[in-house]
């Protein structure tokens, strides 16, 4: 059976001390084993990154950009193989994996723009014959720790810009679907990246803790669930590191009575059930304003859901695939049962579907739950499955209060034709990424991505302009070249 290892100092490496099963979630069968790096292996990756740093930092940024340009082409040429690996180990349908790769490549394209982004700031004559400038210097060795649900795109939120800024990188991807991440790392070396600049170690808590505590790691970017994000942020900062840790979500869409309900139904279907709801921007709560709106919405959704196709990743006609593990499938079904026990109405029940030819896959079909209330566990917690909860409110302000009081603040959306309401919503909602008639307002690569409240620990968001700030430290130089013929006096007052 295939054993998936690491990529350290440009070379594939493996060890067999601790191995973990990697599943094909569509079949429910073990497809490979992944090596879980012990502390010593992670330290070796950090050493490789540390050794590569001085030469890489001094490599002209335009030369670094040439490698990224070649990388983009290689990613496009190898798209089919990358998406196949994502499908095999994540379960995402191939067209969905292609969407993920495309958004990842956007970040590579933006990183190619680094020569412009790193130009710095210059002021002439800030004092008599004194010039001043700020430049953005690389941090050194930085680490990334990423989740299973976007094995290509989320690492690409991090390493392309970190590397373009002159840092060297150690990535610890999810141990549940590691192969696509390793392939895109190999392609970066094929594009000409020097050995040691980008290293990938597979592993679990032991590997993560080594990255969080090793003094040679200057900064940590994390994306994953909120309890782990909080742990990463507190441990990394306690160890003197810069840290950004993006966590979980519960994304609400408010549907106003004036919204185009047919369009809202179609848009909600994709945003709630695409990728089996395993997206941190998935819309998992529809907040209907007024019973009439709620009745129309529930009728439209339940009718359309009869045609949803859940099945194996390899059939492009399927709308979405399985969940990542049997445990995640059971957890999602537990949330549906808990809502039922709490008095909600299960309008479409996706528990235990029969998927022909794949009896052991980790499937849950699309599930719609009406009359959900704020006190229910299924409302308060992130389900991370193909489950859409409907909450009924009397007016938009009640819906906004629900969102503002929720522990998470990643994404949200308002469906309306009313510009005034939309503007009020965008101004006052306590959420980091807002859509108006846009269900998944994932910022494009020249903006930055991040939630509020318990969806993000740290100050700077991921990718976009914030990534340049996160992966560099500012240095401000003030300079003057006095004439040797002028004798200068002593001045004890503060320079002004
Ligand atoms: P996870 O938190 O279980 O794992 C994320 C990473 O942390 C993995 O690399 C994993 O190996 C590591 N990890 C897990 N347990 C650890 C521990 N005890 N100590 C140290 N490291 C540990 O998340 P997941 O299940 O892989 O991903 C799904 C979660 O990620 C969801 O909550 C989702 O909302 C969130 N997510 C958030 C965003 C965002 O941008 N906010 C994007 C994608 C996913």
């Amino acid at each position: 059976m295939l054993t998936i290892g690491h990529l350290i100092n440009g070379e594939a490496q493996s060890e067999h001390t601790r191995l973990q099963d990697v599943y094909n979630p569509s079949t429910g069968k073990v497809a490979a084993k992944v090596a879980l790096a012990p502390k010593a292996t992670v330290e070796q990756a950090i050493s490789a990154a540390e050794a590569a740093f001085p030469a890489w930092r001094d490599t002209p940024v335009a030369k670094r950009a040439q490698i990224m340009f070649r990388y983009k082409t290689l990613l496009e040429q190898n798209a089919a193989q990358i998406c196949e690996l994502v499908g095999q180990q994540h379960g995402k349908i191939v067209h969905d994996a292609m969407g993920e790769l495309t958004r990842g490549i956007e970040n590579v394209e933006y990183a190619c723009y680094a020569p412009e982004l790193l130009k710095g700031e210059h002021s002439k004559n800030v004092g008599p014959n004194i010039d001043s400038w700020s430049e953005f210097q690389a941090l050194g060795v930085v680490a990334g720790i990423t989740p299973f649900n976007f094995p290509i795109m989320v690492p690409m939120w991090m390493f392309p810009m970190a590397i373009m800024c002159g840092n060297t990188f150690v990535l610890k991807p999810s141990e549940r679907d590691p192969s696509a991440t390793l392939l895109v790392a190999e392609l970066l070396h094929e594009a000409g990246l020097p050995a040691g600049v980008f290293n990938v170690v597979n592993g679990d808590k032991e590997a993560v803790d080594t990255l969080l505590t090793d003094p040679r790691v200057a900064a940590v970017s994390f994306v994953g669930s909120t309890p782990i994000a909080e742990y990463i942020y507190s441990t990394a900062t306690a160890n003197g590191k810069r840290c950004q840790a993006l966590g979980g979500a519960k994304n609400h869409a408010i549907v106003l009575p004036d919204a185009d309900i047919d369009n809202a139904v179609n848009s909600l279907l994709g945003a709630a059930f695409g990728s089996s709801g395993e997206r941190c921007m998935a819309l998992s709560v529809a907040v209907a304003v007024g019973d009439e709106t709620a009745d129309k919405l529930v009728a439209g959704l339940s009718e359309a859901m009869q045609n949803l196709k859940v099945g194996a990743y390899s059939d492009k006609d399927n709308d979405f695939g399985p969940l990542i593990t049997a445990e995640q499938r059971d957890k999602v079904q537990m949330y549906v049962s808990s809502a039922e026990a709490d008095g909600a109405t299960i309008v479409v029940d996706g528990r235990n579907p029969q998927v022909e030819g794949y009896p052991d896959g980790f499937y849950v079909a699309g599930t719609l739950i009406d009359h959900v209330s704020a006190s229910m566990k299924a409302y308060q917690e992130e389900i991370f499955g193909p489950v859409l909860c409907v909450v009924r409110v009397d007016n938009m302000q009640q819906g906004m209060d629900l969102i503002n009081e929720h522990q998470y603040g990643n994404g949200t959306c308002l469906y309306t034709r009313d510009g005034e309401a939309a503007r009020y919503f965008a101004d006052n909602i306590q959420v980091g990424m807002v859509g108006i008639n846009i269900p998944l307002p994932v910022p494009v690569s020249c903006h930055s991505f991040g939630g509020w409240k318990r969806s993000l620990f740290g100050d700077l968001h991921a990718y976009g302009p914030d990534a340049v700030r996160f992966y560099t430290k500012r240095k401000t130089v003030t300079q003057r070249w006095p004439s040797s013929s002028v004798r200068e006096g002593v001045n004890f007052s503060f320079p002004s």
Side-chain angles (χ1 to χ4, degrees):
M1 184 172 282
L2 170 71
T3 300
I4 302 156
H6 322 294
L7 187 68
I8 298 175
N9 212 17
E11 285 179 10
Q13 196 171 309
S14 194
E15 71 245 306
H16 295 82
T17 40
R18 284 197 305 137
L19 295 176
Q20 181 171 310
D21 291 338
V22 176
Y23 285 86
N24 176 340
S26 298
T27 62
K29 305 271 185 291
V30 176
K33 302 264 182 196
V34 61
L36 301 176
K39 190 171 197 280
T41 303
V42 182
E43 285 174 345
Q44 203 189 328
I46 298 170
S47 298
E50 187 186 31
F53 176 62
W56 182 245
R57 177 196 55 200
D58 293 341
T59 301
V61 65
K63 288 254 182 271
R64 294 184 217 143
Q66 284 165 5
I67 296 171
M68 277 296 153
F69 274 113
R70 285 197 290 276
Y71 185 44
K72 168 184 151 62
T73 305
L74 282 171
L75 290 168
E76 287 162 350
Q77 286 169 348
N78 290 275
Q81 195 193 347
I82 297 166
C83 293
E84 170 64 23
L85 287 176
V86 174
Q88 281 175 14
Q89 293 178 1
H90 176 285
K92 217 173 259 203
I93 311 297
V94 173
H95 52 75
D96 189 23
M98 195 59 216
E100 164 176 1
L101 177 61
T102 305
R103 293 303 294 259
I105 291 174
E106 274 183 20
N107 285 283
V108 173
E109 288 166 352
Y110 187 64
C112 291
Y113 191 57
E116 176 68 23
L117 298 167
L118 291 170
K119 271 194 323 202
E121 299 158 352
H122 187 272
S123 299
K124 197 171 169 65
N125 271 342
V126 291
N129 295 321
I130 298 175
D131 302 331
S132 187
W133 71 88
S134 294
E135 57 191 46
F136 299 96
Q137 296 196 345
L139 304 176
V141 179
V142 300
I145 300 154
T146 51
F148 80 84
N149 66 324
F150 285 104
I152 317 165
M153 182 186 76
V154 169
M156 285 183 184
W157 288 359
M158 303 173 183
F159 71 80
M161 189 57 87
I163 286 172
M164 281 304 300
C165 289
N167 302 286
T168 54
F169 204 94
V170 180
L171 175 68
K172 206 302 284 173
S174 172
E175 63 278 32
R176 298 188 199 155
D177 49 6
S179 288
T181 320
L182 267 182
L183 174 57
V184 298
E186 283 160 15
L187 291 175
L188 185 49
H189 289 85
E190 205 177 313
L193 192 79
V197 174
F198 182 43
N199 308 275
V200 181
V201 282
N202 280 304
D204 56 6
K205 185 169 166 52
E206 182 174 344
V208 172
D209 285 346
T210 308
L211 292 170
L212 295 179
T213 52
D214 192 304
R216 295 171 295 170
V217 175
V220 176
S221 296
F222 172 87
V223 175
S225 60
T226 286
I228 309 298
E230 199 164 21
Y231 167 74
I232 299 282
Y233 186 76
S234 57
T235 312
T237 51
N239 281 276
K241 301 181 196 317
R242 185 178 288 191
C243 185
Q244 55 179 183
L246 285 72
K250 192 83 175 175
N251 306 310
H252 300 60
I254 297 186
V255 184
L256 293 188
D258 72 342
D260 178 330
I261 295 286
D262 291 342
N263 278 339
V265 163
N266 284 340
S267 155
L268 276 167
L269 282 176
F273 304 122
S275 204
S276 299
E278 287 178 324
R279 293 176 180 150
C280 67
M281 290 293 274
L283 280 180
S284 50
V285 184
V287 182
V289 174
D291 277 330
E292 198 183 329
T293 310
D295 291 343
K296 280 197 245 170
L297 194 66
V298 169
L301 284 166
S302 53
E303 190 189 333
M305 285 172 68
Q306 305 310 315
N307 301 321
L308 281 185
K309 282 184 71 183
V310 57
Y313 80 93
S314 47
D315 181 348
K316 64 178 175 21
D317 289 336
N318 287 331
D319 295 310
F320 59 91
L323 291 160
I324 185 73
T325 55
E327 294 73 37
Q328 182 61 15
R329 175 199 58 202
D330 296 346
K331 189 172 155 197
V332 170
Q333 299 192 147
M334 176 278 291
Y335 277 115
V336 179
S337 303
S338 83
E340 193 173 29
D342 287 341
T345 310
I346 312 297
V347 182
V348 181
D349 192 347
R351 286 172 287 186
N352 304 310
Q354 297 307 308
V355 177
E356 215 184 307
Y358 298 92
D360 301 321
F362 308 140
Y363 298 100
V364 174
T367 300
L368 181 65
I369 313 179
D370 195 2
H371 299 287
V372 171
S373 69
S375 60
M376 295 180 188
K377 184 182 170 76
Y379 173 79
Q380 289 167 351
E381 297 175 13
E382 181 181 44
I383 297 178
F384 225 52
V387 179
L388 179 60
C389 295
V390 177
V391 179
R392 294 169 177 241
V393 294
D394 295 332
N395 53 53
M396 182 169 98
Q397 190 58 53
Q398 266 183 21
M400 288 178 64
D401 291 346
L402 272 178
I403 297 173
N404 290 345
E405 282 157 21
H406 204 282
Q407 60 169 326
Y408 296 121
N410 215 39
T412 189
C413 169
L414 179 74
Y415 290 103
T416 185
R417 290 184 170 106
D418 180 342
E420 187 185 356
R423 194 162 189 278
Y424 178 81
F425 178 79
D427 276 354
N428 293 290
I429 204 73
Q430 299 299 306
V431 170
M433 291 170 284
V434 180
I436 305 296
N437 299 312
I438 299 281
L440 298 176
V442 177
V444 293
S445 62
C446 58
H447 290 263
S448 296
F449 181 110
W452 287 10
K453 299 185 274 184
R454 290 176 60 73
S455 293
L456 174 89
F457 301 88
D459 303 313
L460 290 168
H461 289 197
Y463 69 79
D466 272 14
V468 181
R469 291 291 171 269
F470 185 79
Y471 293 122
T472 58
K473 53 190 170 192
R474 177 186 288 264
K475 180 178 280 178
T476 304
V477 182
T478 306
Q479 174 177 272
R480 141 179 198 262
W481 298 98
S483 163
S484 54
S485 60
V486 177
R487 192 58 39 232
E488 297 181 333
V490 181
N491 188 347
F492 291 100
S493 55
F494 196 69
S496 60

